[in-house]
Amino acid sequence: RPSLLAPRLLALVMADKQSIVVLVQEIGSDMQPGEVLWVLVDDSAIVRDFSAFCEMAGHQLLMAEDSGGQFTYEIRRGEREPD
């Protein structure tokens, strides 16, 4: 069931995709199922990493949007606990 809480926002401008995914994973582990995390980055290629991460962890990638070189990703925390 969707969260009634406001989405959490993580704004990053980094070149290291692995660091971004690890940080999102750490923040996501502190979130309740159904909560939403918005991630703002300057790297379009990370959508593949987020897609794989979400599938593996049971989360849902709700949105991947390009706003003129700034990319917004919206991830909903899944029900199951990460392995």
Side-chain angles (χ1 to χ4, degrees):
R1 90 186 167 203
S3 173
L4 299 178
L5 301 174
R8 296 189 190 192
L9 176 62
L10 175 62
L12 299 170
V13 179
M14 293 184 193
D16 183 359
K17 292 188 291 187
Q18 184 176 0
S19 295
I20 295 171
V21 173
V22 168
L23 188 56
V24 167
Q25 185 174 14
E26 289 176 9
I27 291 170
S29 68
D30 187 42
M31 295 173 65
Q32 297 298 313
E35 275 192 274
V36 174
L37 176 65
W38 287 348
V39 183
L40 307 176
V41 296
D42 65 353
D43 185 351
S44 64
I46 201 164
V47 70
R48 291 185 302 271
D49 298 311
F50 281 156
S51 294
F53 163 70
C54 288
E55 185 175 326
M56 179 182 68
H59 306 315
Q60 184 178 12
L61 181 61
L62 300 173
M63 177 187 63
E65 182 177 280
D66 177 359
S67 299
Q70 181 166 328
F71 302 90
T72 304
Y73 302 96
E74 187 174 336
I75 300 170
R76 177 175 289 138
R77 171 84 158 74
E79 294 293 324
R80 75 174 197 229
E81 291 298 318
D83 297 332

